[in-house]
DNA sequence: GTGGCTATGTGACTAAAGTCACTGTGCAGG
DNA sequence: CCTGCACAGTGACTTTAGTCACATAGCCAC
């Protein structure tokens, strides 16, 4: 919501025309610009240091950021777009956990340990996304030198932990109907669009259930006037 | 496992007789002693500082450490015993998440934020337990001054986050039979006793299901020779 | 050793979710 | 305009889990 003016300002600054409001990679900013706009809470010296060491990495929608079992090479900060984090089951199946948005970071990639740490989750760019990659061996110094950095790390862990708590709550205490409703509401809140372009199959994947179950529940919600079903999208009435 | 010699040594030091191997509160150590034995990774100055500011709080088995909705007043380090963390559902029901053991801390209580933060989970002492309480406003300074402290905080969050991931995995991808098996194995690993003194009802509560379901699954496992059922305890054959 | 309490065993039923098989439908590309 | 295809709708059935009702079985206290 409050990100849009800023984004527009940056584009204007560069004198670029962006089609349909979507980020095109031509419009990519520099590390410095991303840090200033997305991570304003960092001290200027910290931003300068990060800019010096980070790699700006654009990802196309659908591209994988992180694979289960993959070793971390760097800390990832999300600068633009949206990353979807989900857990994979050993025998197939997946389960959506939460999104990472601009200004947030992947908690698991922030451990400042020597031992190689492998990822327990999958992350994929849901739209065209830009991430800043920071070498892991920088973490220790940042932690020691910059107060805003360790606040950021702690806050990242805390908020991701609490997201997981909410997820657990739903899975344990709620039925599929409530989980579906929460899922749709969540989508609506994030995107701020009444038309959610998503198929029943995609929802079923995210909730780790089958399409038929979702179709039936959606139909029931439609009959209650809580939404309208269309091909390839769902019209949400919050 | 490796805690016992230490514990015994401390008792001997104090010339106390401890009945049945259980900690009696007469045998309680000083903050300094707990810190030295349970948190040896902390710098000596950090331990000294913590000892100066902390309160040693004994809890009887079953006593509540943390209530859902309660505001944090202090950071809690577990020095002795075992704390059980679980989530409560809005309409009743509970769900076991994990244990906190000596040397560990409650992640949620470590946030160094000004705003009042209320607990999202319940914690109860599973056996007689000793916790060290640290004033929240100390956190900031500790974080800045002591490297081993922020390692500890980060590691606490990381490990609790990963515990939650495992929990989610089981709930999402596994049936009740596998979850029960994992639960029992977990109990066995933690206690290192083949006889798990627990009732079917307690298990059912922890897994948020009904006693009958647990009884039936246990019976099935008994028929497969994976355990032997008794009144009030279960004999585990790993 | 008997009464009472708690823990456990079990059959029968209900509910929720998952599976299978097949039908309908909007839409893009020839 | 029709055809192929991905998406969506639906009935029938299976499986898993949760509920209800009641039977048994240890165990402690008196």
């Amino acid at each position: 919501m409050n990100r849009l003016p800023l984004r527009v300002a940056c584009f204007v600054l560069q004198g670029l025309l962006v089609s349909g409001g979507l980020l095109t990679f031509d419009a990519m900013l520099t590390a410095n610009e991303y840090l200033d706009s997305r991570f304003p809470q960092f001290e200027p010296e910290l931003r300068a240091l990060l800019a010096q060491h980070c790699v700006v990495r654009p990802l196309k929608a659908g591209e994988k950021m992180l694979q289960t079992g993959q070793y971390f090479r760097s800390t990832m900060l999300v600068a633009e777009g949206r990353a979807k984090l989900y857990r994979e089951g050993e025998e197939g199946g997946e389960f959506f956990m939460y999104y990472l948005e601009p200004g947030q970071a992947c908690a698991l990639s922030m451990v400042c340990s020597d031992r190689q740490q492998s990822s327990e989750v999958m992350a994929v760019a849901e739209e065209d996304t830009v991430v800043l990659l920071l070498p892991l061996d920088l973490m220790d110094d940042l932690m020691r030198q910059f107060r805003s950095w360790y606040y950021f790390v702690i806050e990242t862990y805390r908020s991701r932990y609490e997201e997981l708590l909410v997820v657990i709550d739903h899975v344990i205490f709620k039925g599929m109907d409530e989980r579906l409703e929460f899922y749709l509401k969540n989508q609506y809140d994030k995107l701020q669009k009444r038309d959610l372009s998503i198929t029943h199959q995609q929802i079923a994947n995210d909730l780790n259930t089958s399409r038929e179950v979702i179709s039936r529940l959606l139909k029931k919600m439609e009959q209650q006037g809580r939404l309208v079903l269309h091909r390839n999208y769902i019209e949400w009435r919050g």
Side-chain angles (χ1 to χ4, degrees), chain A:
Chain A
M1 256 314 21
N2 55 356
R3 298 203 318 274
L4 284 174
L6 187 59
R7 186 186 294 184
V8 169
C10 295
F11 290 154
V12 168
L13 191 75
Q14 300 194 314
L16 287 166
L17 224 160
V18 178
S19 63
L22 266 179
L23 177 76
T24 66
F25 287 131
D26 313 317
M28 226 169 64
L29 307 186
T30 66
N32 250 313
E33 289 165 326
Y34 280 128
L35 285 162
D36 291 350
S37 61
R38 300 312 188 201
F39 302 91
Q41 76 272 34
F42 290 163
E43 293 101 323
E45 316 87 72
L46 172 55
R47 291 205 295 271
L49 188 65
L50 293 177
Q52 224 175 80
H53 293 276
C54 80
V55 174
V56 180
R57 173 113 196 274
L59 294 155
K60 290 223 188 302
E63 204 172 335
K64 288 215 172 88
M65 279 174 59
L66 212 57
Q67 293 228 16
T68 309
Q70 171 192 326
Y71 287 101
F72 287 109
R73 286 183 301 260
S74 42
T75 295
M76 284 184 284
L77 307 184
V78 177
E80 197 72 51
R82 181 193 319 277
K84 176 177 169 176
L85 264 85
Y86 58 95
R87 192 95 167 103
E88 280 191 323
E90 289 155 24
E91 290 113 42
E94 60 181 67
F95 178 75
F96 168 72
M97 300 197 303
Y98 49 75
Y99 288 120
L100 290 184
E101 310 215 298
Q104 302 187 319
C106 172
L108 285 167
S109 73
M110 302 187 98
V111 247
C112 40
S113 67
D114 342 73
R115 62 195 161 119
Q116 283 285 60
Q117 191 78 35
S118 79
S119 171
E120 308 280 338
V121 298
M122 292 283 291
V124 58
E126 175 139 296
E127 16 180 303
D128 287 352
T129 295
V130 178
V131 293
L132 307 181
L133 301 177
L134 290 165
L136 276 179
D137 51 20
L138 206 63
M139 297 303 101
D140 241 47
D141 287 338
L142 294 183
M143 209 57 159
R144 218 162 331 143
Q145 288 177 40
F146 299 100
R147 214 172 144 175
S148 63
W149 179 258
Y150 71 63
Y151 276 144
F152 179 68
V153 173
I154 297 288
E155 174 57 22
T156 293
Y157 264 107
R158 198 194 55 74
S159 60
R160 297 309 107 187
Y161 182 94
E162 294 194 348
E163 295 255 23
L164 284 195
L165 280 185
V166 173
V167 165
I168 288 185
D169 252 38
H170 276 85
V171 175
I172 295 283
F173 298 114
K174 315 285 188 189
M176 198 53 89
D177 47 354
E178 275 193 75
R179 285 173 56 198
L180 173 58
E181 186 166 340
F182 179 78
Y183 176 88
L184 293 175
K185 181 158 173 27
N186 195 14
Q187 294 284 323
Y188 170 67
D189 288 345
K190 293 279 173 183
L191 301 170
Q192 288 293 321
K193 280 168 54 185
R194 302 208 91 78
D195 290 354
L196 312 173
S197 44
I198 193 166
T199 70
H200 300 185
Q201 185 63 62
Q202 284 174 281
I203 300 175
N205 290 343
D206 283 353
L207 297 180
N208 191 55
T209 180
S210 68
R211 182 193 58 78
E212 292 93 320
V213 171
I214 297 300
S215 286
R216 277 193 268 264
L217 290 174
L218 283 175
K219 180 59 65 181
K220 203 178 291 176
M221 289 174 78
E222 187 178 40
Q223 282 160 3
Q224 295 167 352
R226 316 171 45 45
L227 46 73
V228 184
L229 297 176
H230 303 269
R231 184 185 177 82
N232 288 319
Y233 75 98
I234 294 168
E235 193 185 331
W236 177 252
R237 306 180 176 283

